[in-house]
Amino acid sequence: MADVGVTDLEKNEPKNIQELTQYSLLQNMQDKFQQISDQILNRIDDMGGRVDELEKNIADLMTQAGAAPTPGFDQPPGPGGPN
């Protein structure tokens, strides 16, 4: 039978020092994991911007050198070209 008037939070509260320590450790690990995940995503976004800028610079250099632009560098591929 379900406990009347007892919330899920009250059911999951640590009941002794060992549970409190485990809860605290898990909470700290979760917070650290979230921070690291956010850092990784930010770095991936930064790297994506750098790659885009590099592709643009390469296309500009190729144009200056008189070379034909390569599909995939700052241009969509033509029909039958690489995707």
Side-chain angles (χ1 to χ4, degrees):
M1 181 170 192
D3 294 329
V4 178
V6 177
T7 66
D8 288 338
L9 182 60
E10 291 172 335
K11 290 179 187 177
N12 294 328
E13 284 183 0
K15 295 174 182 47
N16 59 41
I17 192 71
Q18 183 179 7
E19 286 183 11
L20 179 61
T21 302
Q22 289 172 346
Y23 177 80
S24 177
L25 178 62
L26 288 174
Q27 187 64 43
N28 288 340
M29 289 174 63
Q30 183 177 2
D31 292 344
K32 186 66 173 177
F33 180 81
Q34 186 62 47
Q35 288 174 353
I36 291 171
S37 295
D38 292 342
Q39 288 175 351
I40 290 170
L41 291 175
N42 288 335
R43 289 179 182 177
I44 289 171
D45 288 342
D46 290 344
M47 191 61 70
R50 290 178 183 175
V51 168
D52 291 343
E53 187 176 331
L54 181 60
E55 287 178 344
K56 181 185 176 302
N57 289 337
I58 290 171
D60 290 345
L61 288 171
M62 290 176 69
T63 301
Q64 289 174 6
T70 303
F73 280 97
D74 207 38
Q75 290 186 349
N83 290 333

